[in-house]
Amino acid sequence: MSRRSGRKQFRAVMVRKEVTGADVLQFLRRNPGFLTEHAAEIDLPYADSDDGTVSVSRIRQEAMRKQISSLSESLSDTRDIAEGNQEIADIFFRICRAVIGAESVGELSSIVNETCRTELLIPNSAVLANGGRSAPRSEPDRRFFLSGDIFEGLMESSMSGLRVNLGPVRSEAEAELFFGEYAPMIRSRALVLLGADGKDGIAAFGHGDPDHYNMSLGTELLEGLTGFIGAALAKLVDQGRDAEGRAIAPISVVE
């Protein structure tokens, strides 16, 4: 279509009696390529221009510039998310490599506490095994095993049927059970059951901020982390069970 015929077609639309914006919009919807095809011939009023008009091509360029800017921001956000995910993946790999080498529950708990402090800035952490299902193989490991009664009591009270429980410390006894001498500094905690059925043990993460751990906080990070810890714990507690899964070591556990 020539420039002349393009102008003629456009004028034909505009000179119709009582032409409204809706008429023009309807025409453009029926002819979606009209403005693009005739961008060079059509000038539209544009208050921000020096002479009061601007070509459709300029409008399209400005729209494209904004679109490119928006896409650039989205790409930057996506890159930041990807870099953050990669950083978390690297941290998980380092923690996994560290905990899988533990040779006792006590060593596992110490590794978790150290790596979480340095890698994730979690002030205090601990891993305790269910003494009703397994038993410590050595005296130093004894304090990292809870008696079956205490563990079941935690399942009913602190966990309340949850796999993950986040919130303020419920009592001094609870804080001392998990964090020992550091208990007075802990104001909120995250408790995560370990093992396929959640009965191999429990991991605790403590913080001095009473609002740091709360039930509105996402648990994906903790569940991913405790997946590694649970796998390492399962390997260790299996060594203390007989063929029927009963504890075989004679050392008593924390009452």
Side-chain angles (χ1 to χ4, degrees):
M1 182 179 295
S2 66
R3 290 188 179 183
R4 180 173 297 178
S5 61
R7 290 195 188 97
K8 188 174 181 180
Q9 184 178 0
F10 187 73
R11 291 194 187 101
V13 174
M14 298 305 294
V15 300
R16 285 175 51 196
K17 186 177 181 180
E18 297 181 356
V19 171
T20 66
D23 294 327
V24 176
L25 183 60
Q26 186 176 10
F27 172 82
L28 293 176
R29 283 175 175 168
R30 290 198 307 267
N31 302 272
F34 183 83
L35 291 178
T36 302
E37 294 171 4
H38 305 290
E41 303 101 44
I42 301 172
D43 285 340
L44 298 176
Y46 192 73
D48 293 338
S49 62
D50 294 336
D51 61 358
T53 62
V54 63
S55 67
V56 172
S57 59
R58 180 176 169 183
I59 295 175
R60 290 180 62 229
Q61 288 172 1
E62 178 64 16
M64 185 173 294
R65 185 193 67 77
K66 291 180 179 179
Q67 184 179 21
I68 291 173
S69 176
S70 176
L71 289 173
S72 178
E73 291 178 2
S74 297
L75 179 61
S76 179
D77 292 343
T78 301
R79 186 185 300 113
D80 290 342
I81 292 173
E83 289 175 353
N85 288 341
Q86 183 60 52
E87 182 178 355
I88 291 173
D90 291 342
I91 289 173
F92 274 19
F93 176 75
R94 290 195 293 271
I95 293 177
C96 178
R97 186 169 56 184
V99 300
I100 209 68
E103 297 183 357
S104 69
V105 177
E107 184 181 358
L108 173 63
S109 186
S110 297
I111 290 172
V112 168
N113 187 37
E114 180 62 26
T115 55
C116 284
R117 181 185 295 116
T118 57
E119 298 281 5
L120 298 174
L121 303 182
I122 298 175
N124 294 98
S125 310
V127 176
L128 300 178
N130 177 6
R133 171 169 285 195
S134 183
R137 306 283 293 185
S138 63
E139 179 62 29
D141 219 26
R142 184 178 68 84
R143 68 186 183 91
F144 296 98
F145 282 73
L146 300 175
S147 71
D149 290 341
I150 289 181
F151 187 84
E152 291 301 324
L154 286 171
M155 292 277 284
E156 295 175 3
S157 59
S158 295
M159 301 312 295
S160 304
L162 302 173
R163 181 86 183 203
V164 181
N165 191 322
L166 297 87
V169 172
R170 294 191 173 186
S171 66
E172 293 182 6
E174 182 193 72
E176 187 173 350
L177 180 65
F178 292 114
F179 305 110
E181 61 182 305
Y182 298 101
M185 296 182 287
I186 304 301
R187 293 290 178 269
S188 64
R189 85 291 185 267
L191 305 178
V192 187
L193 296 178
L194 303 174
D197 58 0
K199 292 188 176 182
D200 278 349
I202 189 167
F205 305 90
H207 203 281
D209 181 354
D211 298 319
H212 184 78
Y213 289 115
N214 59 80
M215 291 307 290
S216 65
L217 190 70
T219 61
E220 293 83 1
L221 178 65
L222 285 176
E223 291 186 81
L225 175 62
T226 51
F228 298 136
I229 297 172
L233 178 63
K235 181 190 71 171
L236 296 170
V237 298
D238 279 342
Q239 297 171 2
R241 298 175 186 160
D242 62 17
E244 296 181 359
R246 295 172 300 194
I248 59 176
I251 300 174
S252 61
V253 295
V254 176
E255 297 292 343

